[in-house]
Amino acid sequence: MRNSLVLALSGLVLAPAVSAQAYDSGDRDREDFSWVQPKNTTILGPYGHVPPVYPSPNATGVGGWEDALQKARDFVAQLTLEEKADMVTGQPGPCVGNIVAIPRLGFNGICLHDGPLAIRVADYASVFMAGVSAASTWDREILYQRGLAMGREFKAKGAHVALSPVCGPLGRSAYSGRNWEGFSPDPYLTGVAMEETILGHQDAGVQATPKHFIGNEQEIMRNPTWKTNGTVGEKVQEAISSNIDDRTMHELYLWPFANAIHARAASVMCSYQRLNGTYACENSKAVNGLLKEELGFQGYVMSDWGSTHSGVSSIEGGLDMNMPGGLGGYGMNWKAGSFFGGNITRAVNNGTVPVERVDDMIIRIMTPYYWLGQDKDFPGIDPSTGDLNTFSPRSTWVREFNMTGERSVDVRGDHGALIRKHGAAATILLKNENKTLPLKAPKSIAVFGNDAGQITEGFYNQDEYEFGTLVAGGGSGTGRLTYLVDPLTAINARAAQDGSLVQQWLNNTLIAKTDVRTLWLPTPPDVCLVFLKTWAEEAADRASLHVDYDGDDVVDSVARYCSNTVVVTHSSGINVMPWANHPNVTAIIAAHFPGQESGNSLVDVLYGDVDPSGRLPYTIAHNASDYNAPIVTDIQTDGFYDWQSWFDEKLEIDYRYFDANNISVLYEFGFGLSYSTFELGEINVENVAGSNITSRPEHLPVQPGGNPALWETLYNVSIPVTNTGDVDGTTVAQLYITLPDSAPEGTPVRQLRGFDKLSLAAGQTGVANFELMRRDLSYWDVNAQDWVIPKGEFVLSVGFSSRDLPVTTTLTPVKGCTKRKL
Ligand SMILES: *[C@@H]1O[C@H](CO)[C@@H](O)[C@H](O)[C@H]1NC(C)=O
Ligand SMILES: *[C@@H]1O[C@H](CO)[C@@H](O)[C@H](O)[C@H]1NC(C)=O
Ligand SMILES: *[C@@H]1O[C@H](CO)[C@@H](O)[C@H](O)[C@H]1NC(C)=O
Ligand SMILES: *[C@@H]1O[C@H](CO)[C@@H](O)[C@H](O)[C@H]1NC(C)=O
Ligand SMILES: *[C@@H]1O[C@H](CO)[C@@H](O)[C@H](O)[C@H]1NC(C)=O
Ligand SMILES: *[C@@H]1O[C@H](CO)[C@@H](O)[C@H](O)[C@H]1NC(C)=O
Ligand SMILES: *[C@@H]1O[C@H](CO)[C@@H](O)[C@H](O)[C@H]1NC(C)=O
Ligand SMILES: *[C@@H]1O[C@H](CO)[C@@H](O)[C@H](O)[C@H]1NC(C)=O
Ligand SMILES: *[C@@H]1O[C@H](CO)[C@@H](O)[C@H](O)[C@H]1NC(C)=O
Ligand SMILES: *[C@@H]1O[C@H](CO)[C@@H](O)[C@H](O)[C@H]1NC(C)=O
Ligand SMILES: *[C@@H]1O[C@H](CO)[C@@H](O)[C@H](O)[C@H]1NC(C)=O
Ligand SMILES: *[C@@H]1O[C@H](CO)[C@@H](O)[C@H](O)[C@H]1NC(C)=O
């Protein structure tokens, strides 16, 4: 035992194929073992302590899953030990993740599929808008409807589990390659998006998998590096460690996961990177402590594909399912064995892992399965999946799979119409000088840019190629298009109704170096539409915040001679826009990744059939150097543990940082224009909790989402909103809170705590409603280890963006000293 502890501390214990010792540590000192840290502790500084939380809590089914849990228990009671090992270990098969069937029990196995905007490994399925676009709608109903429609497609293809939605990355850095898969760097907006999406998925009968838990805020070095030594992979450096303090964890990164668990998410995927020095999937504080104890999570934790780095340590740390099942890291090779699988049987037989823990893992897996009725009439797997699955092609399958679904079943239904509508609602109008938009039957239109036209190199995982519009990013979060309405095609179709002339130039290199007057001779166009794009994909971070393919030069070239230049971006997220204040750039639209109806969604807004009602889910700064919280891009040293990312900015990400430091920005969080104008009336605050609100919540038995007292509404806030323009329109009323001075240092100046999207006819008045829950008014007190409402006066600010807040009022939930504590 002593031996294995030494190995653990030197880090060798986690290396597959060189570490049979992973299982030799039955009665080790957990406190030491759970913290695989560098010998040089100055590298980890004040972080790097993972408070040990053992044993892994048993599921109880609390919160509505009690009956399903009993069925799961009965199921587990019939399993042999080998079947138990199968139930928690992925196998190569038709889906991106597969749990094999147990025919003698009538159990048909579990099929897991990517991803957050489409069922990826499928034909005849829809490509929905990406998370960043969904967040831009600020529309609870759309978020739900999108989740529901996606869920129906997964189910109809025979997928029990959708590996969706994403709130990690949250968006600490604008550069992270996967921000577009998730929603927004604001935890409140993302929390609502998670909850609605999950309710949608699961109402369709499919298990949701919020991911990646937790701290997966950059792609670079998310996995360890390896070198080949003979047939054996030898680890060179451990993956990056996200070092996050407890308060930041609770108020930013864990916050939307709490919403996800509150919505009864079936499973959670743990992430690749290390967390305070320990791999996320075996971080007992995170998985056992935060997720299973504090948030009362009753479902199962699955690893990301290859993010399992140990057997016993992971099982004890709370991991319930190893995906895709083979050894992670080097080779991701099933044939090399598994940290789970056969090792589980052996570890149980020799007493290293109690069988009760394995039983709990399976109970957690099967409870949501029964709760969602997946044991009854669930569609069989579409055999086309088996042909499309390049991750585990048929040649790798070692077990039997019966794909009893209809081959190439078309699951799209009428989702195209929905996607068109959702894409339009996600379109953000950032600038509109002199009402240049909506277009009014222009006589002559010129279209520029390599993002305007049809995709040129295939309908799947577009990759960073030059010609073709972008509707999704790359990696496991992408989708396989069955058709694509590109902007140019949609503009041509719409322009034909007005008899407009439409000319096009799609080669950015050419446009950037050309006097564009020579292109459109003899008469200047009435409007020049410039289409720009920005790619991002899994496993790589963005190198720049500028648009791709010299897009900035394209705008300059066009705007030099076109006095009515409208710029449209299809981007993964944040762009700097050096041309934003160019006098000839009259309008700017951020359309992000809208999905398969992209062109139609855009044209609906360009021509005013739909009011642009998207709002920025992040901040656009004046220039790239204005952003803080840089990702780690390079480590010059070659020490085993040298990749460290310090979340030193704490709560100050995105607008929280710009506001705290009074930095002027180009377009602030929450901003977006309508074709109409809106005004607010008088704010009304109703205390629904009675007069005596306590600072600390009552400690009620934990339910999914945590202490239910945190989810109790304390105040209902409402405010009339009037459409003061002469066209019908849609706006998003937003509520921000400022905590009293008694809150600890580092508390953000303003934080979003409510939003309400209203569509109003010209002249009409509606009412925006916001419910403030206890959690919304609390900060995480690291000493009390509890959510606390600070004493004194809160400021509530309501308006139309984080920097347009004309209406304020105050609120004192807990009376007392308002002076900052010394
Ligand atoms: C430990 O790491 C720090 C930071 O990298 C370095 O300055 C210091 O020299 C190291 N100490 C030892 C004993 O290696
Ligand atoms: C990370 O380290 C901080 C500081 O030691 C600690 O408070 C926190 O609980 C740790 N979190 C995890 C998940 O290990
Ligand atoms: C989980 O339940 C088993 C009995 O099924 C029990 O032996 C074990 O101690 C329980 N674990 C915890 C952490 O409560
Ligand atoms: C390869 O592995 C062997 C045995 O573990 C070791 O002795 C040798 O140093 C390794 N070679 C390299 C190049 O790392
Ligand atoms: C057990 O795990 C080790 C890694 O620790 C691996 O090399 C071995 O192949 C696994 N055994 C089985 C049966 O999968
Ligand atoms: C227990 O089983 C594990 C499973 O692979 C094995 O690695 C370990 O050597 C065994 N320990 C003992 C004491 O037999
Ligand atoms: C596949 O179907 C055959 C024939 O119905 C059946 O005997 C077998 O058990 C099934 N296998 C699995 C893994 O479901
Ligand atoms: C907008 O209209 C004003 C007033 O008519 C005019 O001075 C200004 O040049 C116009 N701006 C643009 C970009 O057309
Ligand atoms: C785009 O334009 C540049 C500059 O004129 C030219 O060199 C290049 O070949 C063009 N690309 C294509 C695909 O036509
Ligand atoms: C804007 O466009 C007009 C018309 O072509 C042109 O004369 C003017 O120089 C342009 N302005 C700038 C700043 O490029
Ligand atoms: C950043 O933006 C500001 C405001 O537009 C500008 O004055 C400044 O020159 C820019 N700095 C850099 C380094 O581009
Ligand atoms: C104040 O709190 C106490 C204890 O929670 C409760 O019994 C009482 O009804 C509350 N009073 C009011 C006015 O809400």
Side-chain angles (χ1 to χ4, degrees), residues 448-459 462-470 484 486 488 504-511 531 533 548-549 554:
F448 294 94
N450 62 12
D451 174 68
Q454 192 51 255
I455 285 182
T456 53
E457 295 181 38
F459 265 15
Q462 289 175 266
D463 211 338
E464 201 177 357
Y465 55 71
E466 189 174 352
F467 295 99
T469 194
L470 281 183
L484 170 63
D486 63 89
L488 188 54
Q504 67 190 57
W505 292 273
L506 308 186
N507 182 337
N508 282 12
T509 319
L510 175 77
I511 303 161
F531 286 87
K533 63 181 179 180
D548 296 342
Y549 296 103
V554 170

Side-chain angles (χ1 to χ4, degrees), residues 15-23 327 335-343 346:
V18 287
S19 69
Q21 288 83 5
Y23 282 82
L327 288 178
K335 287 186 186 129
S338 172
F339 283 117
F340 281 27
N343 275 319
R346 276 160 64 203

Side-chain angles (χ1 to χ4, degrees), residues 433-434 563-564 582-586:
E433 285 299 305
N434 292 0
S563 60
N564 189 20
H582 192 296
N584 288 347
V585 173
T586 48

